[in-house]
Amino acid sequence: MASVPRSFLLLSIIPTILILCADFACCNTGRKTGDGLDTDFSGFSVPLEHSFEVDDVSRFRMRGALQLRGGRETSVSLSQSQLSEEDRKTLKEVAAVDGLYKIRVPRVSLTDRQTERQMDGYLTAFVRACSLVESHLSDVITLHTDVSGYLIGVSIVTIPGACRGTEVEDEVDLEAFNTTLTIIAPTNAPQPETALFIERMDIEHEKRGKPQEQKSFFAKYWYLILGGAIFLMASSSAQPSAGGAEEQQS
Amino acid sequence: MAKLTSLFVILLSFFCISEAVFEDQVGKFDWRQQYVGKTLFAHFESNTQSSKKMFVATDKNIFASFNSRTGDLLWRHVDKTGPEGSIDILLLHGQDALMVVGDGRLLRSWDTNIGGLNWEAVLDTGSFQAACFVAIQDTVKLVAVLKKAAISLHYLSNGHQKWVENLPDSDAVQYQAVYSGGEEEVYVLGVVPNSHLTIIAYSLEDGEIIKSVEASWLSSIESSCVVVGQGVLMCVDPATLALYTLPIQAEETPEFSQILLQSLDLEVFPGFQPVLVSSQPHPARSPLSEFFLQLGPDHHVLLQLNADGYTIAPLRDFQPAFLVSFATTGKKTVAAVMTPKNETACAINLFSVDSGRRLLDTTVLFPLEPNGGKPHTLYVHAFLKKDDSVGYRVLVQTQDHALTFIQQPGRVVWTREEALADVVTMEMVDLPLTGTQAELEGEFGKKADGLFPMVLKRLSSQVTLLQAWLAHLWKLFYEARKPRSQVKNEVTIETLSRDEFNLQKMMVMVTASGKVRREGVTASGKVRREGLFGIDSKSGSILWKHYLENVQPNAAFKLIVQRTTAHFPHPPQCTLLIKDKDTGLATLHVFNPIFGRKSHIALPALPRPILQSLLLPVIDQDYAKVLLLVDDQYKVTAFPSTKNVLQQLQEMASSIFFYLIRSDQGNLSGFRLRKDLSTERIWEVVLPTEVQKIVAVKGKRPNEHVHSQGRVMGDRSVLYKYLNPNLLAVVTESTDTHPERAFVGVFLVDGVTGRIIHEAVQRKARGPVHFVHSENWVVYEYWNTKSRRNEFSVLELFEGTELYNSTVFSSLDRPHLPQVLQQTYIFPSPITTMEATLTEKGITSRHLLVGLPSGAILSLPKMFLDPRRPEVVTEHSREENLIPYAPEMPIRTEWFINYNQTVARVKGIYTAPSGLESTCLVVAYGLDIYQTRVYPSKQFDVLKDDYDYVLISSVLFALFFATMISKRLAQVKLLNRAWR
């Protein structure tokens, strides 16, 4: 994302980031400006709100709109506006007193939109305001869903995540968010891998067991038997002569 | 399959980790205590002085026999838990013990000598009401069992049913009692509350006669009527304050005759329901005509029904008297009465039933412990002595479920703390240092005040050390001359001190029992009795106990060690948080875990329900860790709340985060502390309850150390572990229980930021889920609904080959998600509980301790639960010592750490580190308590018991002298050569 020229980013009033589920290919940039809003009518949009106050009392304001689309390919995109002059000032002040920057999204279901059952309540997450400022508003927002497609949690982190106390001089750095957005569904935990294990055992069996079973006793040890037989024959033929020699001597 | 298993065995033999107990080690480092629970019925064997057996049936569905001389278990039968195995009644006759089990489901007869089952008969359905023996011509041959709608007679010899009769009009009439006085008839008594009494007489050869008696005042036979004398029903009515008598066997329609209590000069304690106590010494004869009437909590009267069956004569008034009981031996029947003597003891006396006179020399003292429970029930074993006088022994059951057996003249033979059959939670606390060690420690603890005083102090402490050492030597010398058997190492509270390797600890156990049973519907039965016990981990002896009264029946407990013994001279401090589950209101009990004494510290007022408690690493000036209690308005109370603590809290407020879980709403939320001790909600995760419900949440143990930051792989690179101390493992179960759609969810959530680190779903699975969360791994066990088997799954988290920030871990600054590896195995047994071993520094490899339903405790090496076990063996995996993947997890009998000492109904396993890195202390509790030590990596830091010091030192000395001599010889030789 950093590779995008800043002037270009500035020109795009609404940077839209579209990321497919579990696929970190970000189709970022202003080339798609406006597209996101026009084409995704099959999905729906929920507000993404944020709050940063010096006195730490939450007052949520609109940050942008999340375009959610359920179904087989769950996807999400975000359209958000720039921070105003006043907001930038407040954010810097909050960062100075080590305040928090909070975001929230309403609880929704991605799958059953027909019932339109709006659940009350929000999902909230936070990040330290100073780290947001120091990372020049580069944040990673992750939405988590459960098995049936309900949003269950949201998280926000900044990259880098640390607060080192570096001054952010350039007001320009704090104008637009550089957001990476992902939506994560639960992974399926593995089952015991019996089939593979048995297969492997069979292969090992074949390797080890088969050649031994096929060969008969004689086939396997013919050279020993032969050797033994020759030895016996040789010794039996040699013995009488040796014995005879001894007898003769005595 | 056979091929698979045989191969498996061959494979396993390569990774042989031999780890078994040698025969001579049995009982050396381990002990087991077996319990039976709260006694419901108790009987003594026979009425001779030499009899040793007694039988109890308990609320834990156990039928057991004790040796009454020692209190040891002779045998024990553990039945199913829950109502299916509950014991309704225990009747004893001669060698047979009759038992009705499972609300009238089964009738069992046991041989009392060996505890074997004679026979078992399945009874018809219907809830159990009463049972009694029935005699024919002076010999007891039958047993009658009364159910809600039927009565059946069974032969004692084989359990066969003689006959069964349906009771008439059983919808309206509540049949509650059955009576047989040795005649040819069995009487069933039923009542229509506040209307009339029904008496049905069945002749033993099957016939019935029904009588109905007007009794508008009677509501329950069970609670207000007994049979006395020649078949006279005696009832007490608290409303009219009168006794009613009714001859059951009368030919014509009988009538109740009323005797006002006032006419007997008796007065009922206001608000007290009078209770009648009678006795039928032998089932073939009618009950005694004497009976007790309890008029108040500590007021009993012995009354006698005169021969005419209408008039009553008072024999003796007992006030104060807590408990009364009848006991019969031969022809003599006596009454035992317990009266309070003073603050510390109660006196028990025998009285002749016929006259009400006190028998001489029968006083027995029962010691009352200041922190123990009050006496609850009295069981008397009377016998005839050689001179034909009555002797007795008495078993007293106290409110804290302890059984005390007392012999004349007042000697406590044994005590069994049956509350320990129901341990809820426990902690292990280090023992204090000895006086001299403490002296040294104290020297370092104090502030330095000049060079000279310091030198003096050092000298004086050295002198005391020398003194102690000399005294120790003297003691050794003195005891060496005595025979070995006389030297006893009695453990008392005074001699408690830490041993060299901190292997001996104090076990603080919280017990709770007080299930409201069908029988126990008295007011006192509803209050949960809770006890605190301090047990020496080396010998298992109970060093102190504390009985807490008036704890709500469904309270939850949390035991917190606020200050360990390390801060001499401040005493260690434990806090028990008792929380009522309904109201959420909490109380604190602060005590010294070594002596069990309650601390007199000002407790904070907790007017609001408590949601969460957390122990901070912040310590006050007295080295006590600070306990934060969060109430339902998210306000925080600190304990202790000194100025110092509040100041520290204010400074640290912005870095104190905590989480709350509302499993009923599926809500997990995080909070941050503000400077004014209010809180702000900073994150929220909601798991919709329509889909799944949270079953359990576990963090990591705060005293856990991880020695190694990573794992060295085959190619010599390091795979770093993701060691997040704030990580929570949240386990959910689906609300849909269909086998195809059921699932178990495992969420790893950061407790500070609320970030979901990992989210996995185990399909076609259901609980109960047992799991352990430690280091960088989570192991969980569940039931696979598709394959119908138990499975183990292990999740391990790794940061990767590079650490993000190697110096310090902060949840706020860890942007990258860890790599998660997972593997699943088949486990061939269901499990009841699971815990991981814990050692001092975390160098020793870890084992999982798995409690099996069979009572065995399996020590399963974590090595077998490693998601990096390779499918195909490679050079690298061999280098790493990874076991090739096999879907089946083995259970090998040498891994049973409790060899044949099975722990019945294991409920929990507690592990604690010892001073030796190789050794982990383990306590398994359930019905029994078992303590042992485990060595997951064997005893690498300990010399063996049979290490031959003499041989080694003699070899050393011999070598030394050999060198000396050869050196000398060499010198001589050199000198000689020089002269040549």
Side-chain angles (χ1 to χ4, degrees):
Chain A
M1 271 171 275
S3 62
V4 179
R6 180 164 294 147
S7 54
F8 193 59
L9 198 74
L10 269 172
L11 282 170
S12 62
I13 297 160
I14 310 156
T16 309
I17 296 135
L18 190 125
I19 282 124
L20 290 171
C21 167
D23 187 352
F24 287 77
C26 31
C27 331
N28 162 21
T29 70
R31 277 189 297 265
K32 282 201 172 177
T33 310
D35 286 6
L37 285 173
D38 296 333
T39 51
D40 288 335
F41 274 119
S42 58
F44 58 98
S45 131
V46 288
L48 171 70
E49 293 167 294
H50 62 176
S51 154
F52 41 99
E53 301 293 333
V54 180
D55 58 355
D56 265 351
V57 178
S58 302
R59 275 182 287 273
F60 284 97
R61 296 181 297 272
M62 196 64 145
R63 169 169 158 179
L66 286 165
Q67 287 291 324
L68 295 162
R69 195 167 48 185
R72 197 173 297 157
E73 285 179 16
T74 313
S75 67
V76 61
S77 61
L78 172 66
S79 52
Q80 55 192 355
S81 47
Q82 282 182 320
L83 280 181
S84 66
E85 183 85 21
E86 196 185 344
D87 283 348
R88 286 200 295 262
K89 217 177 102 194
T90 334
L91 188 61
K92 279 183 113 177
E93 278 170 14
V94 173
V97 297
D98 195 14
L100 302 181
Y101 171 85
K102 294 181 217 168
I103 57 165
R104 74 172 186 191
V105 288
R107 291 175 59 197
V108 286
S109 169
L110 298 184
T111 44
D112 59 341
R113 293 301 299 168
Q114 285 80 19
T115 51
E116 280 295 329
R117 187 173 42 181
Q118 189 75 34
M119 285 164 291
D120 51 340
Y122 290 89
L123 305 166
T124 327
F126 75 98
V127 71
R128 286 165 80 188
C130 55
S131 65
L132 189 70
V133 171
E134 285 178 36
S135 67
H136 302 233
L137 302 189
S138 345
D139 55 353
V140 180
I141 294 176
T142 314
L143 297 169
H144 296 267
T145 64
D146 70 355
V147 269
S148 50
Y150 288 107
L151 275 191
I152 56 163
V154 60
S155 75
I156 177 168
V157 286
T158 59
I159 296 178
C163 280
R164 293 204 173 73
T166 44
E167 264 311 294
V168 178
E169 293 292 338
D170 201 349
E171 285 283 317
V172 178
D173 286 343
L174 293 180
E175 267 181 0
F177 285 101
N178 179 9
T179 306
T180 314
L181 190 66
T182 40
I183 181 155
I184 296 182
T187 53
N188 278 334
Q191 301 281 332
E193 302 235 13
T194 359
L196 233 119
F197 180 74
I198 293 171
E199 205 172 287
R200 205 181 77 210
M201 284 292 117
D202 283 345
I203 292 168
E204 268 177 44
H205 249 289
E206 272 168 30
K207 264 188 207 163
R208 229 182 280 158
K210 271 192 181 167
Q212 285 175 0
E213 283 164 20
Q214 280 172 348
K215 282 184 181 174
S216 70
F217 180 78
F218 284 105
K220 226 189 278 179
Y221 302 110
W222 63 270
Y223 48 94
L224 286 178
I225 295 162
L226 195 73
I230 291 167
F231 179 75
L232 273 173
M233 268 158 62
S235 60
S236 62
S237 63
Q239 207 138 38
S241 66
E246 259 175 81
E247 270 172 6
Q248 279 170 0
Q249 269 182 359
S250 66
Chain B
M1 197 62 201
K3 195 163 68 180
L4 192 136
T5 34
S6 67
L7 255 163
F8 195 66
V9 171
I10 296 163
L11 249 175
L12 276 178
S13 55
F14 294 128
F15 313 103
C16 191
I17 307 160
S18 85
E19 203 199 329
V21 185
F22 291 102
E23 200 176 353
D24 60 334
Q25 286 178 326
V26 165
K28 197 170 178 188
F29 304 117
D30 62 321
W31 50 261
R32 176 179 66 161
Q33 286 170 352
Q34 291 185 302
Y35 294 96
V36 296
K38 179 195 173 189
T39 304
L40 298 176
F41 308 99
H43 292 284
F44 291 93
E45 191 193 21
S46 62
N47 293 322
T48 58
Q49 193 167 3
S50 58
S51 69
K52 277 185 192 166
K53 279 192 208 121
M54 51 175 294
F55 310 99
V56 293
T58 70
D59 69 335
K60 299 257 172 220
N61 307 346
I62 287 162
F63 178 45
S65 172
F66 295 140
N67 181 341
S68 64
R69 298 294 158 85
T70 58
D72 294 336
L73 272 181
L74 292 172
W75 44 259
R76 182 176 77 169
H77 292 287
V78 182
D79 207 341
K80 285 174 192 152
T81 50
E84 215 178 328
S86 71
I87 297 168
D88 298 316
I89 197 165
L90 173 68
L91 299 167
L92 195 73
H93 181 261
Q95 300 293 320
D96 297 327
L98 262 285
M99 215 161 86
V100 180
V101 179
D103 198 16
R105 195 168 55 90
L106 293 169
L107 179 67
R108 283 184 184 148
S109 165
W110 303 89
D111 184 330
T112 54
N113 276 330
I114 52 167
L117 184 68
N118 289 331
W119 48 260
E120 184 181 80
V122 181
L123 299 175
D124 295 340
T125 51
S127 72
F128 173 81
Q129 295 297 328
C132 79
F133 284 120
V134 179
I136 305 173
Q137 285 148 11
D138 244 21
T139 48
V140 180
K141 281 191 179 154
L142 297 164
V143 62
V145 179
L146 178 69
K147 298 267 202 122
K148 201 174 180 319
I151 177 170
S152 59
L153 246 70
H154 297 260
Y155 288 103
L156 264 189
S157 53
N158 53 16
H160 290 174
Q161 189 174 288
K162 186 178 165 75
W163 49 256
V164 63
E165 281 295 321
N166 283 327
L167 297 167
D169 203 14
S170 61
D171 292 334
V173 186
Q174 296 174 13
Y175 293 98
Q176 290 176 339
V178 57
Y179 163 75
S180 159
E183 296 88 1
E184 293 292 300
E185 282 165 340
V186 181
Y187 298 92
V188 175
L189 307 178
V191 67
V192 177
N194 305 322
S195 165
H196 63 274
L197 180 83
T198 306
I199 302 171
I200 309 172
Y202 288 97
S203 84
L204 290 184
E205 302 308 323
D206 189 12
E208 62 181 81
I209 312 152
I210 302 177
K211 285 176 249 179
S212 188
V213 183
E214 199 66 27
S216 59
W217 42 271
L218 188 64
S219 61
S220 165
I221 301 174
E222 236 177 352
S223 62
S224 54
C225 293
V226 292
V227 180
V228 297
Q230 301 292 328
V232 175
L233 186 70
M234 175 77 65
C235 294
V236 63
D237 178 30
T240 53
L241 295 175
L243 289 171
Y244 291 87
T245 60
L246 173 83
I248 296 173
Q249 287 134 320
E251 290 294 321
E252 66 275 19
T253 312
E255 252 177 52
F256 272 110
S257 56
Q258 190 190 40
I259 303 161
L260 285 174
L261 288 178
Q262 219 167 5
S263 67
L264 299 166
D265 277 340
L266 298 173
E267 208 174 302
V268 178
F269 187 79
F272 187 79
Q273 163 100 28
V275 181
L276 286 163
V277 182
S278 74
S279 166
Q280 185 177 14
H282 195 274
R285 294 186 197 39
S286 51
L288 296 175
S289 54
E290 291 82 12
F291 60 95
F292 273 110
L293 174 63
Q294 189 179 4
L295 295 166
D298 58 349
H299 186 194
H300 291 79
V301 194
L302 183 64
L303 301 169
Q304 187 176 37
L305 183 73
N306 291 336
D308 57 10
Y310 299 106
T311 53
I312 290 170
L315 290 177
R316 194 174 178 126
D317 197 355
F318 297 102
Q319 194 178 18
F322 290 143
L323 301 169
V324 291
S325 174
F326 285 108
T328 308
T329 172
K331 293 259 182 298
K332 288 187 183 175
T333 300
V334 289
V337 178
M338 183 187 256
T339 51
K341 192 172 193 301
N342 51 31
E343 289 281 292
T344 59
C346 281
I348 302 165
N349 281 297
L350 283 194
F351 293 85
S352 156
V353 162
D354 313 325
S355 58
R357 270 204 314 274
R358 195 168 81 87
L359 300 177
L360 290 176
D361 296 328
T362 56
T363 308
V364 160
L365 284 186
F366 172 72
L368 273 181
E369 280 176 52
N371 295 325
K374 288 199 181 67
H376 182 261
T377 326
L378 208 60
Y379 301 98
V380 181
H381 179 214
F383 49 84
L384 286 177
K385 287 191 208 163
K386 278 175 191 142
D387 59 347
D388 220 27
S389 64
V390 178
Y392 73 113
R393 303 189 187 101
V394 64
L395 182 74
V396 184
Q397 186 185 6
T398 44
Q399 283 177 330
D400 52 352
H401 301 175
L403 292 175
T404 311
F405 193 68
I406 309 168
Q407 209 169 23
Q408 271 179 296
R411 188 169 69 89
V412 173
V413 188
W414 48 262
T415 305
R416 288 182 66 93
E417 295 293 348
E418 289 300 340
L420 286 171
D422 204 352
V423 175
V424 180
T425 176
M426 68 167 291
E427 278 291 334
M428 266 183 161
V429 185
D430 292 351
L431 291 175
L433 302 163
T434 54
T436 46
Q437 285 171 324
E439 179 91 12
L440 268 183
E441 289 282 321
E443 191 191 331
F444 294 116
K446 279 167 202 157
K447 302 254 162 21
D449 43 2
L451 187 66
F452 191 63
M454 285 291 277
V455 171
L456 272 186
K457 216 181 269 173
R458 162 46 60 93
L459 281 177
S460 72
S461 57
Q462 296 285 20
V463 167
T464 45
L465 269 183
L466 187 71
Q467 248 175 358
W469 187 62
L470 286 176
H472 177 69
L473 278 187
W474 172 246
K475 201 179 153 205
L476 273 185
F477 174 70
Y478 191 73
E479 279 178 355
R481 295 186 309 172
K482 280 193 199 167
R484 184 62 64 87
S485 57
Q486 279 187 18
V487 185
K488 267 191 193 167
N489 285 324
E490 279 275 311
V491 187
T492 57
I493 267 185
E494 285 73 32
T495 59
L496 270 187
S497 64
R498 199 179 299 180
D499 60 340
E500 230 170 318
F501 297 122
N502 202 2
L503 290 165
Q504 188 180 2
K505 293 197 181 197
M506 178 66 87
M507 290 157 54
V508 181
M509 293 187 139
V510 183
T511 64
S513 41
K515 277 183 213 137
V516 185
R517 273 178 64 95
R518 202 162 51 85
E519 286 92 337
V521 261
T522 51
S524 64
K526 281 179 183 161
V527 179
R528 185 162 178 160
R529 324 245 171 249
E530 185 211 350
L532 271 171
F533 288 87
I535 300 174
D536 170 36
S537 76
K538 200 174 178 184
S539 61
S541 50
I542 297 165
L543 297 175
W544 56 263
K545 68 169 185 173
H546 194 102
Y547 170 64
L548 300 171
E549 244 170 315
N550 298 329
V551 176
Q552 294 308 309
N554 55 352
F557 304 96
K558 194 173 175 186
L559 188 61
I560 304 141
V561 181
Q562 277 196 294
R563 182 166 53 218
T564 61
T565 29
H567 305 285
F568 187 82
H570 301 288
Q573 182 180 323
C574 270
T575 303
L576 181 69
L577 180 74
I578 307 158
K579 189 173 134 185
D580 188 333
K581 266 191 191 149
D582 291 337
T583 59
L585 290 176
T587 47
L588 294 175
H589 175 76
V590 185
F591 62 98
N592 179 336
I594 304 299
F595 304 110
R597 280 196 290 266
K598 193 176 176 185
S599 305
H600 299 284
I601 294 178
L603 294 174
L606 301 168
R608 301 212 60 86
I610 298 298
L611 296 178
Q612 171 79 297
S613 64
L614 61 156
L615 194 66
L616 297 182
V618 180
I619 50 169
D620 71 346
Q621 70 271 36
D622 290 340
Y623 304 100
K625 280 184 185 165
V626 175
L627 182 69
L628 281 192
L629 300 163
V630 186
D631 65 21
D632 64 340
Q633 292 183 333
Y634 308 113
K635 285 257 164 53
V636 168
T637 314
F639 171 72
S641 55
T642 54
K643 200 180 265 180
N644 179 321
V645 169
L646 294 178
Q647 197 185 336
Q648 282 192 60
L649 279 182
Q650 270 180 13
E651 283 164 17
M652 294 183 62
S654 62
S655 62
I656 296 175
F657 298 86
F658 60 90
Y659 63 90
L660 289 176
I661 287 155
R662 295 238 159 147
S663 47
D664 54 330
Q665 298 161 11
N667 186 310
L668 294 95
S669 43
F671 294 82
R672 181 162 87 153
L673 200 64
R674 285 205 187 120
K675 284 200 174 14
D676 57 346
L677 293 191
S678 65
T679 57
E680 64 171 316
R681 190 188 292 253
I682 48 174
W683 60 264
E684 205 170 356
V685 167
V686 186
L687 303 172
T689 45
E690 303 91 85
V691 183
Q692 54 196 332
K693 56 182 190 296
I694 300 172
V695 258
V697 179
K698 267 187 197 169
K700 286 179 187 170
R701 290 179 64 165
N703 57 346
E704 178 183 270
H705 295 277
V706 180
H707 183 259
S708 166
Q709 288 281 309
R711 287 180 58 163
V712 182
M713 298 203 290
D715 57 356
R716 301 278 170 239
S717 63
V718 177
L719 188 61
Y720 287 99
K721 295 175 185 171
Y722 179 78
L723 297 168
N724 183 348
N726 310 316
L727 198 65
L728 302 174
V730 181
V731 171
T732 63
E733 271 183 52
S734 61
T735 41
D736 190 351
T737 52
H738 187 273
E740 281 295 312
R741 294 187 295 271
F743 66 88
V744 165
V746 178
F747 298 84
L748 300 178
V749 182
D750 189 304
V752 169
T753 60
R755 190 175 181 198
I756 297 173
I757 303 290
H758 184 66
E759 187 185 348
V761 169
Q762 194 80 48
R763 303 264 178 191
K764 289 167 190 151
R766 71 175 158 77
V769 182
H770 302 274
F771 68 112
V772 173
H773 180 200
S774 175
E775 275 187 57
N776 64 329
W777 48 265
V778 177
V779 171
Y780 60 92
E781 186 263 4
Y782 58 90
W783 173 257
N784 186 327
T785 51
K786 191 189 171 205
S787 311
R788 306 187 54 74
R789 64 191 178 199
N790 291 88
E791 288 177 5
F792 259 92
S793 194
V794 57
L795 273 163
E796 273 194 39
L797 300 150
F798 291 101
E799 290 227 350
T801 47
E802 272 174 53
L803 269 183
Y804 178 80
N805 179 355
S806 56
T807 48
V808 69
F809 188 95
S810 166
S811 283
L812 297 171
D813 178 20
R814 259 313 126 136
H816 304 293
L817 284 173
Q819 300 169 13
V820 182
L821 302 176
Q822 187 167 15
Q823 235 171 33
T824 307
Y825 315 89
I826 302 163
F827 193 68
S829 165
I831 76 167
T832 47
T833 183
M834 187 154 66
E835 188 54 88
T837 59
L838 193 66
T839 51
E840 178 93 2
K841 297 268 182 278
I843 300 168
T844 309
S845 59
R846 309 290 296 270
H847 277 201
L848 284 172
L849 300 170
V850 183
L852 305 180
S854 63
I857 293 161
L858 183 77
S859 180
L860 187 69
K862 171 73 179 55
M863 227 168 114
F864 281 90
L865 289 158
D866 184 346
R868 302 189 60 247
R869 282 174 71 173
E871 292 277 354
V872 183
V873 186
T874 60
E875 197 67 34
H876 285 315
S877 71
R878 212 170 284 146
E879 184 94 11
E880 255 187 276
N881 265 335
L882 291 174
I883 307 167
Y885 179 80
E888 274 185 319
M889 189 69 62
I891 293 185
R892 307 174 72 195
T893 39
E894 56 280 26
W895 288 348
F896 291 152
I897 57 167
N898 54 344
Y899 44 105
N900 63 353
Q901 309 266 26
T902 50
V903 186
R905 295 185 192 156
V906 190
K907 206 163 63 180
I909 296 174
Y910 180 87
T911 53
S914 73
L916 280 174
E917 172 54 35
S918 66
T919 310
C920 168
L921 304 175
V922 177
V923 181
Y925 54 88
L927 190 60
D928 304 340
I929 297 174
Y930 180 74
Q931 191 276 144
T932 189
R933 302 172 189 172
V934 291
Y935 319 98
S937 300
K938 297 196 198 158
Q939 288 177 284
F940 60 83
D941 51 1
V942 182
L943 287 178
K944 273 187 189 143
D945 276 347
D946 52 357
Y947 185 77
D948 203 339
Y949 294 93
V950 180
L951 183 76
I952 293 284
S953 47
S954 56
V955 163
L956 211 73
F957 277 111
L959 281 173
F960 177 73
F961 285 116
T963 0
M964 296 289 282
I965 293 163
S966 55
K967 196 178 170 191
R968 176 80 193 136
L969 287 176
Q971 274 176 346
V972 170
K973 198 176 177 184
L974 272 179
L975 194 69
N976 286 343
R977 194 183 290 166
W979 275 109
R980 217 177 276 160

